[in-house]
Amino acid sequence: MPNRNLVVVVDDDPGMLKCVQRLLRNHAYEPILFSSAQVFKSHTNFDRTACIILDINLNDGSGIELRRRLNADGISVPVIYMTGNEDPVVREAALNSGCIAFLTKPFSTRELIEPLHRAAGSA
């Protein structure tokens, strides 16, 4: 079985993408970055993907809706949400959509890496 160290990251904030990319590389993950929901929708190869990290509030869509679309397409890769939105309704919707972690920006390295290790089967 191939090593599942690929992590897909979808966020429309270039600074956040760069930060998460650096963090993932420092922990031996290979990030694949998408700056919009629309560009991410063209990605179809999830065979070696350990996890998908989705921003909830994208300029061109919702991370929660992206997750629902993945589920509808039969793609069952673990999802970690990240958001600057602390609205309890948003949090509940995210948790109900099925995620392994819900992170509020800013978050610590540990808050991201621990669920990621679990998802990748290395914890």
Side-chain angles (χ1 to χ4, degrees):
M1 178 174 181
N3 186 13
R4 293 175 65 91
N5 71 333
L6 293 177
V7 177
V8 172
V9 183
V10 185
D11 197 316
D12 51 18
D13 177 344
M16 182 57 83
L17 274 179
K18 189 172 197 161
C19 179
V20 172
Q21 176 184 41
R22 187 177 318 117
L23 182 74
L24 292 172
R25 286 183 176 160
N26 286 341
H27 289 271
Y29 291 101
E30 183 180 333
I32 301 172
L33 308 177
F34 296 94
S35 60
S36 72
Q38 191 60 41
V39 176
F40 171 71
K41 288 177 184 177
S42 67
H43 184 72
T44 58
N45 185 359
F46 293 95
D47 293 342
R48 292 182 35 229
T49 304
C51 189
I52 301 169
I53 301 172
L54 290 173
D55 185 15
I56 288 180
N57 297 314
L58 298 161
N59 287 334
D60 64 344
S62 159
I64 295 171
E65 286 304 316
L66 287 175
R67 169 65 170 172
R68 289 182 181 137
R69 181 172 176 255
L70 291 170
N71 285 342
D73 291 344
I75 299 167
S76 61
V77 176
V79 168
I80 295 172
Y81 288 117
M82 58 183 176
T83 185
N85 186 342
E86 295 187 44
D87 183 338
V89 174
V90 171
R91 180 181 180 85
E92 184 176 341
L95 295 173
N96 288 338
S97 76
C99 64
I100 61 169
F102 180 91
L103 308 177
T104 303
K105 299 174 186 176
F107 49 84
S108 71
T109 299
R110 181 189 56 76
E111 288 176 295
L112 177 63
I113 296 301
E114 283 182 3
L116 188 52
H117 282 337
R118 288 192 307 272
S122 60

